[in-house]
Coordinates of all heavy atoms in Angstrom, one line a residue:
M1 N -5.6 16.3 8.6 CA -5.0 16.4 7.4 C -4.9 15.0 6.7 O -4.6 14.1 7.5 CB -3.6 17.1 7.4 CG -3.0 17.3 6.1 SD -1.3 17.9 6.3 CE -1.5 19.6 7.0
K2 N -5.0 14.8 5.4 CA -4.9 13.6 4.8 C -3.3 13.2 4.7 O -2.5 14.0 4.2 CB -5.5 13.6 3.4 CG -5.3 12.3 2.7 CD -6.2 12.4 1.3 CE -6.2 11.1 0.6 NZ -7.0 11.2 -0.6
Q3 N -3.0 12.0 5.2 CA -1.7 11.6 5.2 C -1.4 10.6 4.2 O -2.4 10.0 3.6 CB -1.3 11.1 6.6 CG -1.4 12.0 7.8 CD -0.9 11.4 8.9 OE1 -0.8 10.2 9.2 NE2 -0.6 12.5 10.0
D4 N -0.2 10.4 3.9 CA 0.1 9.5 2.8 C 0.7 8.3 3.2 O 1.3 7.5 2.6 CB 1.1 10.1 1.8 CG 1.2 9.4 0.4 OD1 0.2 8.9 0.0 OD2 2.3 9.4 -0.2
N5 N 0.6 7.9 4.6 CA 1.1 6.7 5.1 C 0.2 5.7 5.6 O 0.5 4.7 6.3 CB 2.0 7.3 6.5 CG 1.2 7.8 7.4 OD1 0.0 7.9 7.3 ND2 1.7 8.0 8.7
N6 N -1.1 5.8 5.1 CA -2.0 4.7 5.5 C -2.5 3.9 4.3 O -3.6 3.5 4.3 CB -3.2 5.4 6.2 CG -3.7 4.4 7.1 OD1 -3.2 3.6 7.7 ND2 -5.1 4.5 7.3
N7 N -1.5 3.9 3.5 CA -1.9 3.1 2.2 C -0.5 2.3 1.7 O 0.5 2.6 2.3 CB -2.5 3.7 1.0 CG -1.6 4.9 0.6 OD1 -0.5 4.7 0.1 ND2 -1.9 6.2 1.0
I8 N -0.5 1.7 0.7 CA 0.6 0.9 0.2 C 1.8 1.9 -0.2 O 2.9 1.3 -0.2 CB 0.4 -0.2 -0.8 CG1 -0.5 0.3 -1.9 CG2 -0.4 -1.4 -0.2 CD1 0.3 1.0 -3.1
D9 N 1.5 3.0 -0.4 CA 2.6 3.9 -0.8 C 3.7 4.0 0.2 O 4.7 4.3 -0.2 CB 2.1 5.4 -1.3 CG 1.5 5.5 -2.7 OD1 1.6 4.5 -3.2 OD2 0.9 6.5 -2.9
S10 N 3.2 3.9 1.5 CA 4.3 4.0 2.5 C 5.3 2.9 2.4 O 6.4 3.0 2.8 CB 3.5 4.0 3.9 OG 2.9 2.8 4.0
I11 N 4.8 1.7 1.8 CA 5.6 0.5 1.8 C 6.4 0.6 0.4 O 7.6 0.6 0.5 CB 4.8 -0.7 1.8 CG1 3.9 -0.9 3.0 CG2 5.8 -2.0 1.7 CD1 4.5 -0.8 4.3
V12 N 5.8 0.9 -0.6 CA 6.5 1.0 -1.9 C 7.5 2.1 -1.9 O 8.6 2.0 -2.4 CB 5.4 1.3 -3.1 CG1 6.0 1.4 -4.4 CG2 4.4 0.0 -3.2
N13 N 7.1 3.3 -1.4 CA 8.0 4.4 -1.5 C 9.2 4.4 -0.6 O 10.1 5.1 -0.9 CB 7.2 5.7 -1.2 CG 6.1 6.0 -2.4 OD1 6.2 5.4 -3.4 ND2 5.3 6.8 -2.0
S14 N 9.1 3.6 0.3 CA 10.3 3.3 1.2 C 11.0 2.0 0.8 O 11.9 1.5 1.6 CB 9.8 3.2 2.7 OG 9.0 2.1 2.8
Y15 N 10.8 1.4 -0.4 CA 11.4 0.3 -0.9 C 11.4 -1.0 -0.1 O 12.2 -1.8 -0.1 CB 12.8 0.6 -1.3 CG 13.0 1.8 -2.2 CD1 13.3 3.0 -1.8 CD2 12.8 1.5 -3.5 CE1 13.3 4.1 -2.7 CE2 12.8 2.7 -4.5 CZ 13.2 3.9 -3.9 OH 13.2 5.1 -4.8
R16 N 10.2 -1.1 0.6 CA 10.1 -2.3 1.4 C 9.1 -3.3 0.8 O 9.0 -4.4 1.2 CB 9.5 -2.0 2.8 CG 10.6 -1.4 3.7 CD 9.8 -1.1 5.1 NE 9.0 0.2 4.9 CZ 8.1 0.6 5.8 NH1 7.8 -0.3 6.8 NH2 7.3 1.6 5.5
C17 N 8.4 -2.9 -0.3 CA 7.5 -3.9 -1.0 C 8.3 -5.1 -1.6 O 9.4 -4.8 -2.3 CB 6.7 -3.1 -2.0 SG 5.7 -4.2 -3.0
I18 N 7.8 -6.2 -1.3 CA 8.5 -7.4 -1.9 C 7.6 -7.9 -2.9 O 7.9 -9.1 -3.5 CB 8.6 -8.3 -0.7 CG1 7.4 -8.8 -0.1 CG2 9.7 -7.9 0.2 CD1 7.4 -10.0 0.9
G19 N 6.6 -7.4 -3.5 CA 5.7 -7.7 -4.5 C 4.9 -9.0 -4.2 O 4.6 -9.6 -5.2
C20 N 4.5 -9.2 -3.0 CA 3.6 -10.5 -2.7 C 2.3 -10.4 -3.2 O 1.7 -11.3 -3.4 CB 3.7 -10.7 -1.1 SG 2.8 -9.5 -0.2
M21 N 1.9 -9.2 -3.4 CA 0.4 -9.0 -3.9 C -0.7 -9.2 -3.0 O -1.7 -9.3 -3.3 CB 0.2 -9.6 -5.3 CG 1.3 -9.1 -6.3 SD 0.9 -7.3 -6.7 CE 2.5 -6.9 -7.1
A22 N -0.4 -9.4 -1.6 CA -1.4 -9.6 -0.7 C -2.3 -8.5 -0.6 O -3.5 -8.6 -0.3 CB -0.7 -10.0 0.7
C23 N -1.9 -7.4 -0.8 CA -2.7 -6.1 -0.7 C -3.7 -5.9 -1.8 O -4.8 -5.3 -1.7 CB -1.8 -4.9 -0.7 SG -0.7 -4.7 -2.1
I24 N -3.5 -6.5 -2.9 CA -4.4 -6.3 -4.1 C -5.8 -6.5 -3.9 O -6.7 -5.7 -4.1 CB -3.9 -6.9 -5.4 CG1 -2.5 -6.5 -5.6 CG2 -4.8 -6.8 -6.6 CD1 -2.3 -5.2 -6.2
S25 N -6.0 -7.8 -3.4 CA -7.4 -8.2 -3.2 C -7.9 -7.7 -2.0 O -9.2 -7.7 -1.6 CB -7.4 -9.8 -3.1 OG -6.6 -10.2 -2.1
M26 N -7.2 -6.9 -1.0 CA -7.7 -6.4 0.3 C -8.4 -5.2 0.0 O -9.5 -4.9 0.8 CB -6.6 -6.1 1.2 CG -5.8 -7.3 1.7 SD -7.0 -8.3 2.8 CE -7.2 -7.3 4.3
C27 N -8.1 -4.3 -0.9 CA -8.9 -3.0 -1.1 C -10.3 -3.3 -1.5 O -10.5 -3.9 -2.6 CB -8.1 -2.2 -2.3 SG -8.9 -0.6 -2.5
P28 N -11.2 -2.8 -0.6 CA -12.6 -2.9 -0.9 C -13.1 -2.1 -1.9 O -14.3 -2.5 -2.4 CB -13.2 -2.7 0.5 CG -12.2 -1.8 1.1 CD -10.8 -2.2 0.7
F29 N -12.3 -1.2 -2.5 CA -12.8 -0.3 -3.5 C -12.2 -0.6 -4.7 O -12.4 0.0 -5.8 CB -12.7 1.0 -3.0 CG -13.0 1.5 -1.7 CD1 -12.1 1.5 -0.6 CD2 -14.2 1.7 -1.4 CE1 -12.4 1.7 0.7 CE2 -14.8 1.9 -0.1 CZ -13.8 2.0 1.0
G30 N -11.3 -1.6 -5.0 CA -10.7 -2.0 -6.1 C -9.7 -0.9 -6.6 O -9.7 -0.8 -7.8
D31 N -9.2 -0.4 -5.8 CA -8.3 0.8 -6.0 C -6.8 0.5 -6.2 O -6.0 1.4 -6.4 CB -8.4 2.0 -4.9 CG -9.7 2.7 -5.0 OD1 -10.2 2.8 -6.1 OD2 -10.0 3.4 -4.0
L32 N -6.5 -0.8 -6.2 CA -5.1 -1.1 -6.4 C -5.0 -1.9 -7.8 O -5.7 -2.8 -8.1 CB -4.7 -2.1 -5.3 CG -4.5 -1.4 -3.9 CD1 -4.0 -2.4 -2.8 CD2 -3.4 -0.3 -4.0
N33 N -3.9 -1.4 -8.5 CA -3.5 -2.1 -9.7 C -2.1 -2.6 -9.4 O -1.4 -2.4 -8.5 CB -3.6 -1.2 -10.9 CG -4.9 -1.2 -11.4 OD1 -5.8 -1.8 -11.2 ND2 -5.1 0.0 -12.3
I34 N -1.6 -3.3 -10.5 CA -0.1 -3.8 -10.4 C 0.6 -3.1 -11.6 O 0.1 -2.9 -12.7 CB -0.3 -5.3 -10.7 CG1 -1.0 -6.0 -9.6 CG2 1.2 -5.9 -10.7 CD1 -1.3 -7.5 -9.9
K35 N 1.7 -2.7 -11.3 CA 2.7 -2.1 -12.3 C 4.1 -2.8 -12.1 O 4.4 -3.3 -11.1 CB 2.7 -0.7 -12.2 CG 3.5 -0.1 -11.0 CD 3.7 1.3 -11.1 CE 4.7 1.9 -10.0 NZ 5.1 3.3 -10.2
D36 N 4.9 -2.6 -13.2 CA 6.4 -3.0 -13.2 C 7.1 -2.2 -12.0 O 7.0 -0.9 -11.9 CB 7.0 -3.0 -14.5 CG 6.4 -3.9 -15.4 OD1 6.0 -4.9 -14.9 OD2 6.6 -3.6 -16.6
G37 N 7.8 -3.0 -11.2 CA 8.6 -2.3 -10.2 C 10.1 -2.0 -10.6 O 10.5 -2.5 -11.8
D38 N 11.0 -1.4 -9.8 CA 12.2 -1.0 -10.2 C 13.2 -2.1 -10.0 O 14.3 -2.2 -10.4 CB 12.8 0.1 -9.4 CG 12.1 1.4 -9.6 OD1 11.5 1.6 -10.8 OD2 12.0 2.3 -8.8
Y39 N 12.8 -3.2 -9.2 CA 13.6 -4.3 -8.9 C 13.3 -5.7 -9.6 O 13.7 -6.7 -9.1 CB 13.7 -4.4 -7.4 CG 14.3 -3.2 -6.8 CD1 13.6 -2.4 -6.0 CD2 15.7 -2.9 -7.0 CE1 14.0 -1.3 -5.5 CE2 16.2 -1.8 -6.4 CZ 15.4 -1.0 -5.7 OH 15.9 0.1 -5.1
G40 N 12.6 -5.6 -10.7 CA 12.4 -6.9 -11.6 C 11.1 -7.6 -11.1 O 10.9 -8.7 -11.4
F41 N 10.2 -7.1 -10.2 CA 9.0 -7.6 -9.9 C 7.9 -6.6 -9.8 O 8.3 -5.5 -9.6 CB 9.1 -8.5 -8.4 CG 9.6 -7.6 -7.4 CD1 8.8 -6.8 -6.6 CD2 11.0 -7.7 -7.0 CE1 9.1 -6.1 -5.5 CE2 11.4 -7.0 -5.8 CZ 10.5 -6.2 -5.2
P42 N 6.6 -7.1 -10.0 CA 5.6 -6.2 -10.1 C 5.4 -5.6 -8.6 O 5.6 -6.3 -7.6 CB 4.3 -7.0 -10.6 CG 4.9 -8.1 -11.1 CD 6.3 -8.4 -10.4
I43 N 4.7 -4.3 -8.6 CA 4.5 -3.8 -7.4 C 3.1 -3.2 -7.4 O 2.5 -2.8 -8.5 CB 5.4 -2.6 -7.0 CG1 5.6 -1.6 -7.9 CG2 6.9 -3.3 -6.6 CD1 6.3 -0.4 -7.6
P44 N 2.4 -3.0 -6.4 CA 1.1 -2.3 -6.4 C 1.1 -0.9 -6.6 O 2.1 -0.2 -6.1 CB 0.4 -2.6 -5.1 CG 1.7 -2.8 -4.1 CD 2.8 -3.3 -5.0
I45 N 0.0 -0.4 -7.1 CA -0.1 1.2 -7.3 C -1.5 1.5 -7.2 O -2.4 0.8 -7.5 CB 0.4 1.6 -8.8 CG1 0.2 3.1 -8.9 CG2 -0.3 1.0 -9.8 CD1 0.9 3.7 -10.2
K46 N -1.8 2.5 -6.3 CA -3.1 2.9 -6.0 C -3.8 3.9 -7.0 O -3.0 4.7 -7.5 CB -3.1 3.4 -4.5 CG -2.4 4.8 -4.3 CD -2.6 5.2 -2.8 CE -1.8 6.4 -2.6 NZ -2.3 7.7 -3.2
H47 N -5.0 4.0 -7.0 CA -5.7 4.9 -7.9 C -5.8 6.1 -7.2 O -5.6 6.3 -6.0 CB -7.2 4.4 -8.2 CG -7.1 3.2 -9.0 ND1 -8.4 2.7 -9.5 CD2 -6.2 2.4 -9.6 CE1 -8.1 1.5 -10.2 NE2 -6.8 1.3 -10.2
M48 N -6.1 7.2 -7.9 CA -6.3 8.5 -7.4 C -7.4 8.5 -6.4 O -7.3 9.4 -5.4 CB -6.6 9.5 -8.5 CG -5.6 10.1 -9.3 SD -6.0 11.2 -10.6 CE -7.8 11.4 -10.4
N49 N -8.4 7.7 -6.3 CA -9.5 7.8 -5.5 C -9.3 6.9 -4.2 O -10.3 6.8 -3.4 CB -10.8 7.4 -6.0 CG -10.8 6.2 -6.8 OD1 -9.8 5.6 -7.0 ND2 -11.9 5.7 -7.3
C50 N -8.1 6.5 -4.0 CA -7.8 5.9 -2.7 C -8.2 6.8 -1.5 O -7.7 8.0 -1.5 CB -6.2 5.5 -2.7 SG -5.6 5.2 -1.1
N51 N -8.7 6.3 -0.5 CA -9.3 7.2 0.7 C -8.3 6.9 1.8 O -8.8 7.4 3.0 CB -10.7 6.9 1.0 CG -11.0 5.5 1.5 OD1 -10.0 4.8 1.8 ND2 -12.3 5.1 1.5
D52 N -7.3 6.3 1.7 CA -6.2 6.1 2.8 C -6.9 5.3 3.9 O -6.5 5.6 5.2 CB -5.7 7.5 3.3 CG -4.6 8.1 2.5 OD1 -4.1 7.2 1.7 OD2 -4.4 9.3 2.5
C53 N -7.8 4.4 3.7 CA -8.4 3.7 4.7 C -7.5 2.7 5.5 O -7.7 2.3 6.5 CB -9.6 3.0 4.3 SG -9.3 1.6 3.3
G54 N -6.5 2.3 4.9 CA -5.4 1.5 5.5 C -5.6 0.0 5.3 O -4.9 -0.9 5.8
I55 N -7.0 -0.4 4.8 CA -7.2 -1.8 4.9 C -6.2 -2.7 4.0 O -5.8 -3.8 4.3 CB -8.6 -1.9 4.3 CG1 -9.6 -1.4 5.1 CG2 -9.0 -3.5 3.9 CD1 -11.0 -1.4 4.7
C56 N -5.6 -2.1 2.9 CA -4.8 -2.9 2.2 C -3.4 -3.3 2.9 O -2.8 -4.1 2.7 CB -4.2 -2.1 0.9 SG -3.7 -0.4 1.3
L57 N -3.1 -2.5 4.0 CA -1.9 -2.7 4.8 C -2.2 -3.9 5.8 O -1.2 -4.4 6.4 CB -1.5 -1.4 5.6 CG -1.1 -0.4 4.7 CD1 -0.8 0.9 5.6 CD2 0.2 -0.7 4.0
L58 N -3.4 -4.4 6.0 CA -3.7 -5.4 7.0 C -3.0 -6.6 6.8 O -2.7 -7.5 7.6 CB -5.2 -5.5 7.2 CG -6.0 -4.3 7.8 CD1 -7.5 -4.6 7.7 CD2 -5.4 -4.0 9.0
E59 N -2.8 -7.0 5.4 CA -2.3 -8.3 5.2 C -0.8 -8.0 4.7 O -0.1 -9.0 4.1 CB -3.2 -9.1 4.1 CG -4.5 -9.6 4.5 CD -4.3 -10.7 5.5 OE1 -3.4 -11.4 5.5 OE2 -5.0 -10.8 6.4
C60 N -0.3 -6.8 4.6 CA 1.0 -6.7 4.2 C 2.1 -7.1 5.1 O 2.2 -6.6 6.2 CB 1.2 -5.2 3.8 SG 2.9 -4.7 3.3
P61 N 2.9 -7.9 4.7 CA 3.9 -8.6 5.6 C 5.0 -7.5 5.9 O 5.7 -7.6 6.9 CB 4.6 -9.8 4.9 CG 4.4 -9.4 3.4 CD 3.1 -8.7 3.2
M62 N 5.0 -6.5 5.2 CA 6.1 -5.5 5.5 C 5.5 -4.2 6.1 O 6.4 -3.2 6.5 CB 6.6 -5.0 4.1 CG 7.2 -6.2 3.3 SD 8.3 -7.3 4.2 CE 9.8 -6.2 4.2
A63 N 4.3 -4.2 6.5 CA 3.7 -3.0 7.1 C 3.9 -3.1 8.7 O 3.9 -4.2 9.3 CB 2.2 -3.0 6.8
E64 N 4.3 -2.0 9.3 CA 4.5 -2.0 10.7 C 3.1 -1.5 11.3 O 2.3 -1.0 10.7 CB 5.6 -1.0 11.1 CG 6.9 -1.6 10.6 CD 8.0 -0.4 10.7 OE1 7.8 0.6 11.4 OE2 9.1 -0.7 10.0
E65 N 3.0 -2.0 12.6 CA 1.6 -1.7 13.3 C 1.4 -0.2 13.2 O 0.1 0.1 13.0 CB 1.9 -2.0 14.8 CG 0.6 -2.7 15.2 CD 0.9 -3.4 16.7 OE1 1.5 -4.3 16.6 OE2 0.4 -2.8 17.6
N66 N 2.2 0.7 13.4 CA 1.8 2.2 13.4 C 1.3 2.7 12.1 O 0.6 3.6 12.0 CB 3.1 3.1 14.0 CG 4.3 3.0 13.2 OD1 4.4 2.1 12.3 ND2 5.1 4.0 13.3
E67 N 1.7 2.0 11.0 CA 1.3 2.3 9.7 C -0.1 1.9 9.5 O -0.9 2.7 8.8 CB 2.2 1.8 8.6 CG 3.5 2.3 8.5 CD 4.5 1.6 7.5 OE1 4.4 0.4 7.8 OE2 5.2 2.1 6.9
I68 N -0.5 1.0 10.1 CA -1.9 0.4 9.9 C -2.7 1.2 11.0 O -4.0 1.7 10.6 CB -2.0 -1.1 10.3 CG1 -1.2 -1.9 9.3 CG2 -3.5 -1.5 10.4 CD1 -1.0 -3.3 9.7
E69 N -2.4 1.7 12.1 CA -3.1 2.3 13.0 C -3.3 3.8 12.8 O -4.3 4.5 13.3 CB -2.7 2.0 14.5 CG -2.9 0.5 14.9 CD -2.5 0.2 16.2 OE1 -1.8 1.1 16.8 OE2 -2.6 -0.9 16.7
N70 N -2.4 4.4 12.2 CA -2.5 5.9 11.8 C -3.6 6.2 11.0 O -3.9 5.6 10.1 CB -1.2 6.3 11.1 CG 0.0 6.5 12.1 OD1 -0.3 6.7 13.3 ND2 1.2 6.7 11.5
E71 N -4.3 7.4 11.3 CA -5.4 7.8 10.5 C -5.2 9.2 10.3 O -4.7 9.9 11.1 CB -6.8 7.4 11.1 CG -7.0 5.9 11.0 CD -8.2 5.5 11.4 OE1 -9.1 6.5 11.3 OE2 -8.6 4.4 11.4
Ligands
LIG101 S1 -5.9 2.7 1.6 FE1 -7.9 1.8 1.4 S2 -8.7 2.7 -0.5 FE2 -6.6 3.0 -0.5 S3 -5.7 1.2 -1.8 FE3 -5.6 0.8 0.5 S4 -7.5 -0.4 0.9 FE4 -7.9 0.8 -1.0
LIG102 S1 1.1 -6.6 0.5 FE1 2.9 -5.1 1.0 S2 4.8 -6.2 0.5 FE2 3.0 -7.2 -0.6 S3 2.7 -6.4 -2.7 FE3 1.3 -5.2 -1.1 S4 2.6 -3.5 -0.4 FE4 4.1 -4.9 -1.3

């Protein structure tokens, strides 16, 4: 089953995103954009065609190991 925890939504939706933008350039499909966040700094947002590959989490300082390895 497709899970929602292998992309930046797992970080953003749990309010752990610090807006560092390290993930933006990581997505090999260009599926990440930037939008205004709730706390005064921009946050990443994924496109509909994100395939949950998890690559964007590899450089995320707030991602935990299990979020990267889950598929
Ligand atoms: S999970 Fe993969 S496709 Fe989705 S935003 Fe991250 S790197 Fe891009
Ligand atoms: S790499 Fe992680 S903390 Fe940095 S902007 Fe992306 S989701 Fe947020």
Side-chain angles (χ1 to χ4, degrees):
M1 183 188 292
K2 187 173 180 178
Q3 297 184 342
D4 197 32
N5 64 353
N6 207 32
N7 62 69
I8 50 89
D9 277 357
S10 63
I11 308 299
V12 172
N13 293 342
S14 58
Y15 301 100
R16 284 179 289 160
C17 177
I18 58 173
C20 72
M21 296 300 150
C23 54
I24 300 293
S25 60
M26 288 297 287
C27 178
F29 310 103
D31 280 340
L32 289 177
N33 276 348
I34 300 170
K35 71 169 188 175
D36 289 336
D38 292 338
Y39 296 110
F41 54 84
I43 58 173
I45 182 172
K46 67 180 173 66
H47 293 182
M48 275 177 8
N49 51 350
C50 165
N51 65 9
D52 283 341
C53 69
I55 292 174
C56 54
L57 293 176
L58 294 177
E59 291 292 328
C60 176
M62 306 308 287
E64 294 170 11
E65 218 168 290
N66 62 340
E67 284 170 321
I68 296 172
E69 290 177 354
N70 277 344
E71 287 190 12

